[in-house]
Amino acid sequence: MSGCLSGYNGLMTLNNLIKDQQKLFWVLQLGGWFAWGLLWKFGFTVYVFEDSAPNYFIYVVIITTIAIVITLGLRYLYRYLWNRPAWIQAIGFLGGSWLAGYIWIRSRTYIYTGWFQKHKDTEAWLEKLGDMAEIYEKVSAAGYITAGWGLMLAWSALYFAIKYYQIFQEVQKSALKSAAMAHEAQLKMLRYQLNPHFLFNTLNAISTLILEKQTEDANRMVTRLSSFLRHSLDNDPMQKVTLNQELAALKLYLDIEKVRFEERLRLEEDVEPEASNALIPSLLLQPLVENAIKYGIARSEEGGRLRIAAKVFAGDLLIELSDDGPGVKLVDGEIPDANGVGLRNTRERLSELYGEHHSFRLSETDPHGLTISIRIPFEPAV
């Protein structure tokens, strides 16, 4: 039992270490370099020559410490270049590794020739080696080059490999969390779409059309309602859709709402062709449109205008949804005491899907109304 608990505690400690990136770096940095210095550099020399030169252990500790300091500089360089284009990272990777290796080689050469090799005890030790002394000198010279540039390249490659692995793990976690939130958001959106009040008004409007013998209009409304409900139920929240497909679904919904508002609800679109082919999270705009109608247009006796605009700029997709309803008073870009979940769900989904590479802003429409501005990375449909 105690063995199982010990193994479990060890596993938990390892998991906590992996999650703490700062601590993980220092464990690998110090452990890796001292393993190289003590086990490989010093241990290999003692094993091959069955002895070590005087003060050789101190020499290994010094050059190992220098390597730790130099690679710390590489770490800060790579962190600075991390969000730069790939070709700049490649130049930094090769150039940084070469410069670090060169500095390390020069430092080792200076220490070895200026302090270590000239030591009388070391000269006596080399004479004791006899023919092996020449081999030792060649091995040391080759070691400077391979350990200098080769090890710095290996350290850089390992650094990038670990960083990309950590990013991959974070992406996986984010994808799982995003999927769960998408399912939850879809259920909440469907609750809006299928709420009794909405269905009652829609079916009542269809009934009125039938009584007035406007069978063609009634049939068209039934078809729109059927298409809208089918899209809502069949839509996979895990899949992205083009903005054009999202707008098509919105038109089904708005056509139904126009039965209630008739000419009081006006829709304007200003979507660039390139933007219409952009991929966005499914059902992204639906709760925002419902929010605009419920709290904007529906509260105005004269109705209002709903405008949807989209364009591609600087590698991002910019979407703007605005209405000219009564509007709301914003405090620091937020609606105070807002109880609705539509805006909150949209914020959370965008945050999980795009992290820092998105924005979601609320502003007042001139002269009145509410404007929602969304910026996400542009992903063209294949």
Side-chain angles (χ1 to χ4, degrees):
M1 184 66 178
S2 61
C4 292
L5 289 175
S6 177
Y8 176 78
N9 292 334
L11 182 60
M12 290 298 294
T13 302
L14 179 61
N15 289 334
N16 292 334
L17 177 62
I18 293 175
K19 291 179 181 178
D20 190 339
Q21 296 185 9
Q22 188 73 6
K23 186 179 294 184
L24 177 63
F25 171 81
W26 282 109
V27 169
L28 295 177
Q29 173 77 343
L30 298 178
W33 276 116
F34 279 112
W36 172 85
L38 301 179
L39 299 180
W40 172 251
K41 183 65 177 174
F42 181 78
F44 177 79
T45 301
V46 173
Y47 175 78
V48 172
F49 298 102
E50 300 180 348
D51 192 6
S52 63
N55 297 324
Y56 188 74
F57 179 81
I58 297 176
Y59 166 74
V60 170
V61 171
I62 292 173
I63 65 173
T64 301
T65 303
I66 294 173
I68 292 173
V69 174
I70 292 175
T71 49
L72 278 179
L74 281 180
R75 182 197 186 196
Y76 289 114
L77 171 64
Y78 295 154
R79 288 173 66 178
Y80 173 77
L81 298 176
W82 191 251
N83 293 321
R84 301 297 190 275
W87 66 272
I88 294 182
Q89 290 189 31
I91 293 176
F93 172 83
L94 296 175
S97 299
W98 181 88
L99 180 61
Y102 177 79
I103 294 174
W104 197 30
I105 291 172
R106 296 297 299 174
S107 301
R108 291 176 59 176
T109 302
Y110 175 79
I111 294 171
Y112 187 83
T113 58
W115 173 74
F116 179 76
Q117 193 177 35
K118 292 182 178 180
H119 198 281
K120 293 181 179 180
D121 294 336
T122 303
E123 292 178 351
W125 178 76
L126 290 174
E127 291 179 0
K128 179 182 176 181
L129 287 179
D131 295 336
M132 293 290 290
E134 184 178 355
I135 298 176
Y136 174 79
E137 296 285 351
K138 291 180 179 179
V139 169
S140 298
Y144 287 154
I145 299 175
T146 57
W149 293 328
L151 271 179
M152 292 302 168
L153 279 172
W155 186 96
S156 298
L158 184 60
Y159 177 88
F160 276 90
I162 293 175
K163 288 290 288 184
Y164 278 116
Y165 176 77
Q166 290 174 335
I167 290 175
F168 176 74
Q169 293 295 317
E170 290 298 323
V171 169
Q172 278 193 320
K173 291 179 183 178
S174 179
L176 291 174
K177 188 175 180 181
S178 177
M181 291 185 65
H183 281 293
E184 181 183 357
Q186 186 192 33
L187 291 176
K188 291 180 179 178
M189 290 179 213
L190 290 177
R191 185 183 67 183
Y192 283 131
Q193 296 160 359
L194 301 177
N195 69 74
H197 182 69
F198 166 70
L199 284 178
F200 172 80
N201 284 317
T202 303
L203 294 175
N204 186 58
I206 294 173
S207 176
T208 301
L209 291 173
I210 293 174
L211 290 174
E212 294 177 354
K213 299 187 183 301
Q214 300 181 37
T215 55
E216 185 176 344
D217 290 338
N219 181 67
R220 184 165 57 252
M221 292 308 303
V222 170
T223 302
R224 290 171 179 172
L225 178 60
S226 175
S227 299
F228 175 74
L229 297 180
R230 184 181 300 112
H231 172 83
S232 300
L233 294 172
D234 292 344
N235 184 69
D236 184 359
M238 297 295 296
Q239 300 296 325
K240 292 182 180 179
V241 299
T242 64
L243 179 57
N244 196 42
Q245 292 172 319
E246 179 81 350
L247 292 176
L250 281 177
K251 288 178 182 177
L252 292 174
Y253 167 75
L254 291 172
D255 284 343
I256 296 171
E257 289 286 19
K258 283 182 179 180
V259 176
R260 295 171 53 200
F261 296 98
E262 296 180 344
E263 298 303 320
R264 293 173 58 213
L265 175 59
R266 300 180 300 278
L267 175 66
E268 293 183 8
E269 288 187 27
D270 184 13
V271 179
E272 294 181 353
E274 187 179 14
S276 66
N277 193 47
L279 292 175
I280 65 171
S282 62
L283 298 177
L284 176 68
L285 301 181
Q286 179 67 31
L288 304 181
V289 171
E290 288 194 40
N291 190 76
I293 293 176
K294 183 177 180 180
Y295 297 103
I297 296 172
R299 294 184 176 182
S300 174
E301 293 183 1
E302 299 178 355
R305 172 182 58 86
L306 185 65
R307 181 176 182 272
I308 300 176
K311 65 179 180 179
V312 177
F313 178 77
D316 289 330
L317 174 66
L318 309 180
I319 303 175
E320 187 176 272
L321 175 66
S322 61
D323 65 76
D324 58 359
V328 293
K329 183 67 175 179
L330 298 178
V331 178
D332 295 328
E334 300 290 343
I335 302 176
D337 303 323
N339 296 320
V341 297
L343 294 177
R344 185 173 69 249
N345 283 348
T346 303
R347 285 183 187 275
E348 291 176 357
R349 287 189 69 192
L350 291 175
S351 179
E352 287 301 320
L353 286 168
Y354 302 107
E356 297 179 354
H357 305 290
H358 88 283
S359 67
F360 184 91
R361 296 187 299 105
L362 304 180
S363 59
E364 297 179 5
T365 305
D366 187 27
H368 51 78
L370 180 67
T371 296
I372 302 174
S373 302
I374 299 174
R375 176 185 59 81
I376 59 177
F378 173 59
E379 298 178 64
V382 179

